[in-house]
Amino acid sequence: MSLLESSYKNVPTGIRKLLYVNWAIVLLTIAIACAGFLMLYSVAGGSVEPWLDPQLNRFGFGLFLMIAIGMVPIWFWRNVSAVGYIISLLLLVAVELFGEVRMGAQRWINLGFMVLQPSELAKITLVMFLAAYYDWLPLAKRSRPLWIAIPLAAVLVPTFLVFKQPDLGTALLLAVGGGTIIWLAGVHWAYFAVVVSAGIGTIWAVFESKGTSWQLLKDYQYDRINIFLDPSQDPLGAGYHITQAKIALGSGGVTGRGFMQGTQSGLDFLPEAHTDFIFTTLAEEFGFIGATTLLALYLLLIGFCFASALQNRDRFSSLLTLGISMTFFLYFAVNMAMVMGLAPVVGVPLPLVSYGGSAMLVLMVGFGLVQSAHIHRPR
Amino acid sequence: MRRPPKESAESARIIGRRALVVGALQLGLAGSLLMRMRSMQLEQAEQFRLLADENRINVHLLPPARGLIFDRNGVLLAGNEQYYRVTMTREDAGDVETVLRRLSKLVPMTEEEIQDAMKEVSERSRFVPVTIVDRLSWEDISRVTVNAPALPGITAEVGLSRFYPQGADMAHVVGYVGPVSDYDLSRTEDRDPLLQIPKFQIGKTGAENKMEQTLRGSAGTLHVEVNALGRVMRELDRQEGEPGADIQLTIDSKLQTYVEARLEGESAGAVVIDLEKGDLRAVVSAPSFDPNLFVRGISVKDWTDLNENPYRPLAAKAVQGIYPPGSTFKMMTALAAIEEGVLDPEETIYCRGYTEVSGTRFHCWKTAGHGNVNLHDSLKHSCDCYYYEVGQRIGIDKISEMAQRFGIGVRHDLPLSAVAEGLAPTKEWKRRVRGEDWRIGDTVNASIGQGDVLASPLQLAVMAARLATGRNITPRLVHTVDGVEQGADADQPIGVNENSLRRIRAAMDAVSNNNRGTAYGSRISEVSMRLAGKTGTSQVRRITAEERARGVTSNADLPWERRDHALFVSFAPVENPRFACAIVVEHGGGGSSTAAPIARDIMLQALYDGPPPLEAYPSNVRNRIEEQQKRIENRIAPGAYPTSDRA
């Protein structure tokens, strides 16, 4: 019985676990979700229908899920990681075969009792699987090519499947999220140097392939990229979204136009004001102060995750916590960059704020795992 | 995990180190997001706020009410009338076709109009009202409103349109308005946004056109908030425009109407000037046309009729028609010579019926000749040979100089379309325009107002006015703008010796009132109202020697378009002149037979400010005049002109 093994004996049990929940994280998720509730109410023109009501229910369920998952010992989650990952892969394949096409992409699978977006599930299971893998792998083997091939494949297979759907945003999140765990596990930096160069090469290839038979992206994705680079070339067409989003955001000024006073969202100039572009509504109505406050809340949440992960001497736990916080970070960073015109429009929601079930539940499950890791950390 | 504690600690150390890198990267990214927010929300906020407002605020123009036009007595000449139109909004209508079919049973609509309306409605946004039928009568619109419950999406609206209650009588003075066209826009410097309103009415001719800026007023604005689809959400701000200024003309509509009626059947132009301030009391061109036709959009048939009429109803002959003034020009030739001292008014010149000038014979209208004539007799009898001689003495340049002082060959500044300049020819002019030298024969022709001399009825009236007063009378058409008197400065003396003028006036008096004068037949018998005038008959063809040998052909035997123009210039009363009048009857035959009687009637109408007593006429014509007055009275009975209704 090792030192660590014995330290698990001090882990709280039963109802006492509630005392060890990381309440800071719970409170921050509630605070962030509340910002979302306000905005959904405003975007609906001062009504709980059609968005606020379902969102509240979902978040309530999500909170319950977070605590419930947190109560389950972390080693259980570690043990089911591989299974969960394989199930996600199967669902991704299933979506490819039987998925529903919505908004031009195959992303949804109807399970009968609910509509599931397997790519969202894959974000969590991939992190879990990689954390478990490096927890299992002896430290000395981490940089050997063979032992790198496995996690690399584990990242690339779901990434490729999601990319094919096509959902560029989620594929990017999966790749970067998975890559982050491999980095955190301590794999030699030279590999990352190679990957970064390869990434640059890929970007080159993407542009080079345009208009050829091996074109890597769909035409609308090229359009999005082109218009991202120069929104003015199509102000009323595809560039309309970005232009209107920037106008909304910029016109907020320091203090914003006031709750429910945003004209860009109120008068329907903003596309998708309740989902991907909800941040611009917030920035329009609450201004620089509101926008930076939300950013601060997000960073604070990440900070608490980091603190929890670095305190935790269990390798699976800290890798998992960091991986989930990285996924969370990618969500809001990509979303904000996108609506502010710093990144192409790739369809990533603002976490815990945007209207939508899959993303919110997956994030709450993720924070549930973080809670589990926190509660059951070796002492 | 069964793992050596050493490796566990090592792992934690690695994760910690690597996590720091990740954290730093995250902070860096978050920092750039923050900088982006700062730059957009703090530094460029104004600019984005402006763009947001541009997005949401639409500016609608509110057309101002056009200024009204009145005559000198406050009679409405151009007004704005309400008219009714029916619009349809697709989203409220539901089944567009059914509603339109029902509507077509209530108001006059052709099958074609129904199809057009359906097309237009389906092409526009579902919340935009589309005009279905325009210019409906009150009865039609009442039927629509009563049946409103059966006509969803149909709205009755009121608009303003121009109408001219005086109809044809004022058409050449007031002009008319019409919808602004691309052609109008292409040649105007006017950047008034009102012109961008579809079918906005602007002045096309006459005072409506020349006084456009005064009459138009300025646009009001309506700021509305719209959503991304353009649907109006609410009214933000409404700024009513300035209505156009009302204009009062110097025209006396009663006199104008009389003159128009008196000229019925002729192709003529007549101008009456009030000598007190130069007010134009009547500026008439006959025949005329109904300007209301143009406001509504003239039909092809009406347009063809107007255009192909040989009497040219669309031409404003009073100001834009130019004619050789004939004998009415002789006063200019005489005055020029007297002023230069080359002619003594008492000096007699022998008329033998023709004058030989460098081998060419110039004939007097009286083949037998007038014998010895002085200035007085030359005007009274309208002797031509006298002026052939006088003209040669003084030369063309002096004659034209005098003519210009009296307003011939000068473009009078009036707010009317195509005011003609006419022509008082000079040697320099002929060289410049024709590239030929001035010849003595040209002077001979010009000295009796033939050849190159051209004048409009307006210019002849101005000449008569200046002769009558000795003042530099400037014609004036606009009496007041918004109640403010316009340009009524006292006229300066014309600078011609008053004695010479008195002699001319006395001769003109004799033309009408001496029993040997050329216009004695058209005299006024009421002594205090006596008229002084000068007849003119200007040739539109050259009389060949052969014709002359056969004896001069009577005008009545010639086709209309080859007959002489009949002219008469006059002022009255002789003692204390109040009005000057000039009339040109195109191809009317003789000045004394055709133009002078009309001028007398007009003058009496002006002097008595209405129908004159029969006693003002010589006893031998009273019966005929009585009949004529009745006929004219019937013609100008109220309601003679239909005002407005859907055609």
Side-chain angles (χ1 to χ4, degrees), chain B residues 144-160:
Chain B
V144 172
T145 21
V146 166
N147 289 288
L151 300 166
I154 293 285
T155 316
E157 289 182 2
V158 181
L160 279 183

Side-chain angles (χ1 to χ4, degrees), chain B residues 578-590:
Chain B
R578 284 164 54 207
F579 297 103
C581 169
I583 174 163
V584 176
V585 180
E586 288 187 346
H587 312 293

Side-chain angles (χ1 to χ4, degrees), chain A residues 4-5 78 135 138-139 142 183-184 186-187 189 240 244 246-247 249-254 257 263-264 267-269 279 283 287-288 291-292 295 299 302 306 310 313 315 318-319 322 326 329 333 336-337 340-342, chain B residues 1-3 5 7-8 10-12 14-23 25-27 29-34 36-42 44-46 48-53 55-56 225-229 233:
Chain A
L4 270 174
E5 198 75 9
R78 179 179 60 211
D135 185 49
L139 212 49
R142 67 181 192 274
W183 166 263
L184 288 168
V187 172
W189 61 267
Y240 183 78
Q244 295 300 340
K246 284 165 78 176
I247 290 173
L249 199 129
S251 66
V254 181
R257 312 200 77 163
T263 59
Q264 286 288 100
L267 299 170
D268 302 336
F269 288 100
F279 180 65
F288 183 65
T292 47
L295 184 63
L299 291 176
I302 302 267
F306 264 64
L310 296 182
R313 284 174 293 161
R315 203 183 333 175
S318 52
L319 285 176
L322 289 171
M326 184 62 185
F329 173 83
M336 287 185 179
M340 284 192 280
L342 289 173
Chain B
M1 274 281 137
R2 280 148 291 280
R3 188 181 289 141
E7 186 182 315
S8 193
E10 167 73 4
S11 158
I14 292 170
I15 290 176
R17 227 170 34 206
R18 294 265 169 128
L20 271 184
V21 175
V22 172
L25 275 174
Q26 288 181 345
L27 277 179
L29 275 169
S32 63
L33 291 177
L34 189 71
R36 180 70 167 183
M37 284 179 207
R38 202 182 81 91
S39 113
M40 287 174 74
Q41 296 194 289
L42 301 189
Q44 302 174 59
E46 281 299 301
F48 281 116
R49 179 70 61 96
L50 211 66
L51 287 171
D53 283 346
N55 259 346
R56 77 184 173 102
E225 186 171 84
V226 296
N227 72 0
L229 297 171
M233 306 304 276

Side-chain angles (χ1 to χ4, degrees), chain B residues 514-585:
Chain B
N514 182 297
N515 60 7
R516 294 185 61 204
T518 53
Y520 181 68
S522 304
R523 69 191 178 281
I524 291 172
S525 56
E526 167 62 47
V527 177
S528 65
M529 297 289 182
R530 273 185 305 136
L531 159 154
K534 179 73 195 81
T535 54
T537 303
S538 72
Q539 283 169 215
V540 292
R541 68 206 158 91
R542 203 182 147 75
I543 300 173
T544 60
E546 188 188 335
E547 270 182 304
R548 206 171 289 280
R550 274 195 271 118
V552 176
T553 322
S554 152
N555 265 305
D557 300 336
L558 286 168
W560 179 76
E561 67 276 7
R562 295 192 64 209
R563 293 180 199 165
D564 298 337
H565 295 318
L567 298 91
F568 194 70
V569 299
S570 58
F571 59 86
V574 172
E575 311 302 337
N576 186 16
R578 284 164 54 207
F579 297 103
C581 169
I583 174 163
V584 176
V585 180

Side-chain angles (χ1 to χ4, degrees), chain B residues 62-339:
Chain B
L62 300 172
R66 194 173 174 85
L68 307 180
I69 302 178
F70 299 97
D71 88 336
R72 65 182 301 114
N73 300 315
V75 176
L76 187 66
L77 305 183
N80 301 320
E81 67 174 350
Q82 289 191 332
Y83 72 96
Y84 303 92
R85 60 174 177 252
V86 160
T87 62
M88 175 185 245
T89 313
R90 176 150 56 97
E91 71 176 352
D92 300 329
D95 185 352
V96 173
E97 180 158 8
T98 313
V99 175
L100 282 175
R101 296 278 169 215
R102 275 188 217 146
L103 181 67
S104 68
K105 295 194 182 92
L106 299 173
V107 301
M109 269 180 99
T110 63
E111 180 61 31
E112 197 183 334
E113 281 176 321
I114 295 175
Q115 296 300 331
D116 286 352
M118 270 169 53
K119 187 155 163 279
E120 171 122 38
V121 169
S122 63
E123 278 169 0
R124 305 298 292 268
S125 295
R126 61 198 157 79
F127 49 83
V128 173
V130 175
T131 301
I132 305 290
V133 255
D134 221 339
R135 297 192 180 281
L136 286 173
S137 69
W138 174 246
E139 288 73 33
D140 287 335
I141 209 78
S142 308
R143 275 200 293 280
V144 172
T145 21
V146 166
N147 289 288
L151 300 166
I154 293 285
T155 316
E157 289 182 2
V158 181
L160 279 183
S161 179
R162 203 66 156 169
F163 83 111
Y164 301 100
Q166 306 293 316
D169 292 346
M170 292 295 164
H172 290 121
V173 177
V174 171
Y176 54 83
V177 298
V180 63
S181 66
D182 290 344
Y183 176 69
D184 293 328
L185 288 177
S186 71
R187 49 177 209 151
T188 177
E189 293 288 297
D190 194 349
R191 288 283 153 263
D192 191 334
L194 279 172
L195 298 183
Q196 306 301 326
I197 297 178
K199 297 187 177 172
F200 183 73
Q201 289 183 333
I202 60 165
K204 299 281 186 174
T205 62
E208 287 273 33
N209 176 246
K210 297 288 174 175
M211 304 286 288
E212 173 68 23
Q213 297 303 329
T214 310
L215 291 165
R216 188 191 294 161
S218 60
T221 49
L222 175 64
H223 291 251
V224 291
E225 186 171 84
V226 296
N227 72 0
L229 297 171
R231 181 199 291 276
V232 174
M233 306 304 276
R234 64 194 166 117
E235 202 174 299
L236 296 173
D237 177 40
R238 190 188 186 95
Q239 208 114 45
E240 292 296 341
E242 281 282 309
D246 291 347
I247 291 176
Q248 192 173 20
L249 299 181
T250 58
I251 300 288
D252 174 353
S253 68
K254 198 165 56 169
L255 181 64
Q256 173 98 3
T257 305
Y258 173 84
V259 176
E260 191 74 53
R262 179 65 184 84
L263 291 176
E264 190 174 24
E266 304 284 5
S267 173
V271 173
V272 179
I273 299 183
D274 181 326
L275 299 181
E276 191 192 345
K277 289 174 178 171
D279 287 0
L280 292 166
R281 290 286 191 120
V283 178
V284 180
S285 301
S288 189
F289 61 94
D290 183 1
N292 293 305
L293 291 176
F294 286 84
V295 180
R296 292 167 199 164
I298 191 165
S299 69
V300 175
K301 184 189 170 297
D302 287 341
W303 174 248
T304 318
D305 286 352
L306 287 175
N307 242 347
E308 290 178 359
N309 188 330
Y311 283 24
R312 295 173 295 130
L314 294 175
K317 296 167 189 128
V319 296
Q320 78 185 68
I322 46 174
Y323 311 90
S327 302
T328 59
F329 192 69
K330 287 176 179 163
M331 285 83 84
M332 297 298 103
T333 310
L335 268 182
I338 300 168
E339 280 294 291

Side-chain angles (χ1 to χ4, degrees), chain B residues 339-416:
Chain B
E339 280 294 291
E340 282 298 307
V342 297
L343 178 70
D344 177 352
E346 293 305 329
E347 176 191 348
T348 59
I349 292 170
Y350 186 74
C351 168
R352 70 169 79 91
Y354 63 89
T355 304
E356 203 72 67
V357 181
S358 51
T360 311
R361 259 188 198 193
F362 290 87
H363 293 269
C364 185
W365 66 268
K366 192 172 179 185
T367 323
H370 289 98
N372 279 318
V373 286
N374 62 9
L375 172 70
H376 189 86
D377 293 336
S378 76
L379 279 175
K380 185 167 77 184
H381 302 305
S382 202
C383 171
D384 292 334
C385 292
Y386 180 85
Y387 291 94
Y388 295 151
E389 167 64 21
V390 173
Q392 287 178 75
R393 282 196 205 163
I394 180 68
I396 186 62
D397 286 353
K398 292 287 179 194
I399 296 175
S400 285
E401 197 190 305
M402 187 57 71
Q404 284 181 344
R405 282 166 78 176
F406 281 82
I408 290 170
V410 175
R411 183 174 285 121
H412 295 295
D413 181 26
L414 289 174
L416 290 172

Side-chain angles (χ1 to χ4, degrees), chain A residues 332-348:
Chain A
F332 75 77
V334 170
N335 178 277
M336 287 185 179
M338 165 180 114
V339 299
M340 284 192 280
L342 289 173
V345 177
V346 286
V348 174

